[in-house]
Amino acid sequence: MTSGFPGTDIFRGLTFRVLLFLSLALLPIGLISVVQTREIAEQNIMNAELSLLAITEQASSSESGLIQEAFGGADALASVVNLIKADSFSCSAFLREYQKSSNLYTLVSFVRVDGQMECVSNGIATDMSENPIYKKLMQSKKRTANISLRPSISKEVVLIVSVPLRVDGELLGFVNMSIPERVFREAVELDLEVRPTAMVTFNAEGDILTTENDRDRASQEMPAVQELKWYAGQSGGVIRAKNLQGDDRLYAILPIVPGVVYAMSVWPENSPLLTAGASTRLNLVLPVIMWIASLIVAFWALNRLAIKHIRKLGRQMRHFALNRTLPRTTLSGVVPTEIVNMEEAFVGMAESILRDEAKLEDNLRQKNILLKEVHHRVKNNLQLISSIMNMQIRQASTPDAKRVLQRLQDRILSLATVHKSLYQNDNLTRVDGGVLMHEIVNQLLSVGLPSGSGITVTQKYEAIQLDPDDAAPLTLLVSEAVTNALKYVAVGQADKGRIEVTLKYTGPEMALLTVSNSTGHGDVEKGTGLGSRLINAFSRQLNGQFKINEEPNSYTLSVEFPVPLKSKIVYDY
């Protein structure tokens, strides 16, 4: 399936664009799904927290009942104590009878605002003015619950519930109910499927009142960041925080006596009750997973139905463009009809192109044959003219007439050589200048240079490709230059003369023709100047630079001309 991935230019690929538009189409549905899933997740988390609060309420039901009963009893006793507080004996007897009938309290007492406790269930009057709990009562002057770990009267850990006694708004004292800690431990606990790590009750000042297990262990489970009294204001909710040991915990807080006593349960982060809420939070990624799954399905379908076949069709087209071969097997099977129609159209177009190219090649071959035939006939006609002129030369009566006819015959043979090279070469548009020069010069030397003359001839040619329009003036120019060289090098037969003819590249599209010869030491017949004018004219037809370097013992003719790869402008002279 990886064959459907886009190439380097992925943003212009069909796969990327289809997936992009599909993503845009799925975006509104995805947003709605995210919002709804988030609402469901939040609702489930809220339900999980409510479950924690409900279990906290059940787990603290025994402590809540005892504490609430103590506050209710203290409220009821406050009314009676107000009536009999003046008689300490009667007041103490009444409280003693109440203590025995309830069997929940170790001590029931009334403490006046001056700290004197004379109305007490054990009948022993005590000065409580220096007692820390009494000082707390006088500071708060409201209903409180405090823990006394080392009481001087009860001799065991007790929870002291205090209710203020007011008459006409004036504070007269506090009714105190001392509940021993063992009563809380002996209370019947409900059978819960899931129990918290710790269960405590605490007052508004943040003091732990009761625990279900060891007090020190419960203290280690308390929050590490905020003081416990801060959580009194968060009652009725669930808070996430770290305990004193650095572990993540959840704290569920409920009021037992609002503003006075609270119950707190401690739960680990991975509590089974929170599993539903946590799993619901994971559902937030479901829209993303669905989006990715939709893109994968769309990509797979697009690749299977279109991309794979389009790529195969593209390979067939490239193969045809390179090798001009039609595909051996065609698309079939589960290929969509549209792509099959595209392939049929391509095959039909390719067959039409092959037929047209075959016709063009046939026409071109016929034209090449005709052009070669034309060059061949022109060469034959020029050779026929040369043969007629050769007969005329033999019948000429004067040396001047023979010389003029001979020069004219050389020019005709040079043109015949050009046409011969054209029809013998498969490429009718370019001629090898080196081969052409070698043939023309040898032909001139065979006629104009008699055997035993002692003249050294040097030829150096590079394979320079020429246009037919440049080949004709070049051959005529070489013919005139070599003829002049033969004419002037022949003076003074006793000296050993030399002739050098070279053709070479001087740049990527520049060539240099050089014809050099040694000069004689005798009188030379004065010419008509026609050769020089022809050389100058042929040089200009080649768009070349014509130079002559004449020294005492040598004469050099050089023509530098362009040999462009493309057709060049030729001036008409």
Side-chain angles (χ1 to χ4, degrees):
M1 195 170 70
T2 56
S3 62
F5 279 107
T8 55
D9 195 2
I10 61 173
F11 298 108
R12 297 181 61 187
L14 178 61
T15 302
F16 175 80
R17 296 185 181 186
V18 170
L19 296 182
L20 175 62
F21 286 117
L22 181 60
S23 300
L24 294 177
L26 294 175
L27 182 60
I29 300 176
L31 293 177
I32 294 173
S33 178
V34 168
V35 172
Q36 291 180 344
T37 304
R38 185 170 182 178
E39 291 178 353
I40 295 173
E42 292 176 352
Q43 185 63 41
N44 288 344
I45 293 173
M46 186 180 298
N47 293 338
E49 293 178 353
L50 291 176
S51 298
L52 290 182
L53 293 174
I55 294 178
T56 302
E57 183 177 6
Q58 294 177 3
S60 64
S61 59
S62 57
E63 290 88 348
S64 300
L66 292 172
I67 294 172
Q68 289 172 357
E69 182 180 348
F71 274 104
D75 288 333
L77 289 176
S79 301
V80 177
V81 168
N82 183 41
L83 297 176
I84 63 175
K85 64 182 183 297
D87 185 357
S88 300
F89 180 80
S90 299
C91 183
S92 298
F94 174 75
L95 294 183
R96 184 167 47 253
E97 290 298 326
Y98 181 81
Q99 176 194 0
K100 291 181 179 180
S101 63
S102 63
N103 197 28
L104 292 177
Y105 312 105
T106 59
L107 188 68
V108 180
S109 63
F110 171 71
V111 181
R112 298 198 303 265
V113 293
D114 58 0
Q116 298 301 315
M117 187 176 66
E118 296 178 350
C119 180
V120 60
S121 61
N122 62 1
I124 302 174
T126 308
D127 185 3
M128 301 294 294
S129 59
E130 298 300 325
N131 189 284
I133 295 178
Y134 168 75
K135 292 180 179 180
K136 286 184 179 182
L137 293 176
M138 292 306 297
Q139 288 179 356
S140 63
K141 297 179 181 180
K142 58 183 181 179
R143 294 151 57 95
T144 60
N146 296 283
I147 188 72
S148 179
L149 299 177
R150 296 180 182 85
S152 58
I153 299 175
S154 300
K155 305 302 181 180
E156 61 178 322
V157 179
V158 293
L159 172 65
I160 301 174
V161 173
S162 302
V163 175
L165 174 59
R166 286 185 173 88
V167 176
D168 297 331
E170 181 183 357
L171 179 64
L172 301 180
F174 296 90
V175 177
N176 303 309
M177 313 283 283
S178 298
I179 310 173
E181 189 177 40
R182 55 180 170 78
V183 173
F184 293 99
R185 296 189 182 279
E186 293 172 358
V188 178
E189 296 182 355
L190 297 178
D191 186 13
L192 302 176
E193 295 182 0
V194 181
R195 301 198 68 85
T197 302
M199 182 72 206
V200 300
T201 60
F202 63 96
N203 58 18
E205 286 74 30
D207 300 325
I208 297 177
L209 301 178
T210 63
T211 64
E212 280 193 353
N213 42 27
D214 183 73
R215 187 177 292 272
D216 293 334
R217 180 181 174 185
S219 298
Q220 293 297 319
E221 292 291 341
M222 292 299 100
V225 179
Q226 299 287 347
E227 294 183 2
L228 195 57
K229 64 180 180 180
W230 179 83
Y231 289 88
Q234 309 298 322
S235 61
V238 178
I239 299 174
R240 288 174 171 81
K242 291 183 179 296
N243 63 8
L244 293 175
Q245 296 177 344
D247 299 326
D248 292 327
R249 292 290 185 264
L250 279 84
Y251 298 92
I253 305 102
L254 281 176
I256 295 177
V257 178
V260 182
V261 181
Y262 302 89
M264 173 186 283
S265 61
V266 184
W267 303 86
E269 187 72 19
N270 57 353
S271 174
L273 291 174
L274 299 174
T275 305
S279 62
T280 305
R281 285 196 297 270
L282 294 177
N283 290 337
L284 291 174
V285 302
L286 287 180
V288 178
I289 297 175
M290 292 174 60
W291 172 70
I292 295 175
S294 299
L295 294 184
I296 293 175
V297 172
F299 171 76
W300 179 82
L302 183 63
N303 176 74
R304 182 175 179 81
L305 296 177
I307 299 297
K308 180 174 67 175
H309 307 302
I310 292 175
R311 288 181 178 273
K312 183 176 181 180
L313 183 58
R315 289 193 297 269
Q316 293 177 353
M317 291 180 178
R318 288 191 296 272
H319 189 70
F320 174 77
L322 294 175
N323 303 323
R324 283 297 187 269
T325 56
L326 294 175
R328 296 179 180 178
T329 59
T330 58
L331 300 175
S332 60
V334 295
V335 182
T337 306
E338 292 81 1
I339 300 180
V340 173
N341 294 337
M342 290 173 57
E343 185 190 39
E344 292 176 353
F346 159 68
V347 172
M349 178 188 67
E351 292 176 348
S352 177
I353 291 174
L354 291 177
R355 288 193 298 268
D356 294 341
E357 288 181 348
K359 291 180 181 179
L360 290 175
E361 289 179 359
D362 185 62
N363 292 336
L364 181 61
R365 185 166 48 254
Q366 292 179 2
K367 290 179 180 179
N368 287 338
I369 293 173
L370 292 176
L371 285 175
K372 288 185 177 183
E373 182 65 22
V374 169
H375 288 299
H376 183 66
R377 293 193 179 188
V378 170
K379 188 267 299 184
N380 291 341
N381 291 335
L382 291 175
Q383 285 185 342
L384 178 60
I385 294 173
S386 175
S387 299
I388 295 173
M389 292 185 67
N390 193 32
M391 295 173 60
Q392 191 67 38
I393 290 171
R394 287 196 296 268
Q395 296 180 1
S397 58
T398 63
D400 291 338
K402 289 183 178 181
R403 187 168 52 254
V404 170
L405 293 174
Q406 183 68 44
R407 294 292 298 275
L408 184 59
Q409 185 185 35
D410 292 340
R411 296 178 185 119
I412 292 173
L413 290 176
S414 298
L415 292 175
T417 303
V418 173
H419 287 282
K420 177 183 177 182
S421 298
L422 286 173
Y423 84 78
Q424 288 181 347
N425 189 4
D426 292 335
N427 186 4
L428 296 176
T429 60
R430 309 290 283 180
V431 178
D432 190 339
V435 175
L436 183 63
M437 292 269 301
H438 188 271
E439 186 173 354
I440 292 173
V441 171
N442 287 341
Q443 180 178 319
L444 293 172
L445 293 175
S446 63
V447 176
L449 188 64
S451 59
S453 61
I455 297 174
T456 303
V457 179
T458 304
Q459 302 182 61
K460 295 180 181 180
Y461 309 116
E462 293 184 7
I464 297 177
Q465 299 298 318
L466 302 172
D467 289 333
D469 292 340
D470 290 339
L474 180 63
T475 55
L476 294 175
L477 188 151
V478 171
S479 177
E480 296 295 332
V482 173
T483 300
N484 286 340
L486 290 172
K487 175 180 177 182
Y488 290 104
V489 78
V491 178
Q493 296 292 336
D495 297 330
K496 299 296 182 180
R498 62 174 179 80
I499 296 177
E500 296 181 1
V501 183
T502 61
L503 179 65
K504 62 181 180 179
Y505 278 111
T506 59
E509 294 185 355
M510 293 296 294
L512 176 66
L513 170 66
T514 303
V515 179
S516 177
N517 63 276
S518 60
T519 57
H521 301 284
D523 296 332
V524 179
E525 182 181 354
K526 185 177 182 180
T528 61
L530 177 61
S532 298
R533 291 196 299 273
L534 290 175
I535 290 174
N536 187 25
F538 296 145
S539 299
R540 296 181 65 183
Q541 286 188 11
L542 291 171
N543 297 331
Q545 300 293 328
F546 171 66
K547 292 183 181 180
I548 294 178
N549 184 18
E550 189 171 359
E551 296 181 358
N553 295 322
S554 65
Y555 181 89
T556 302
L557 167 68
S558 62
V559 179
E560 187 175 16
F561 58 96
V563 284
L565 298 177
K566 297 181 180 180
S567 300
K568 62 178 181 178
I569 301 175
V570 179
Y571 298 100
D572 188 12
Y573 297 100

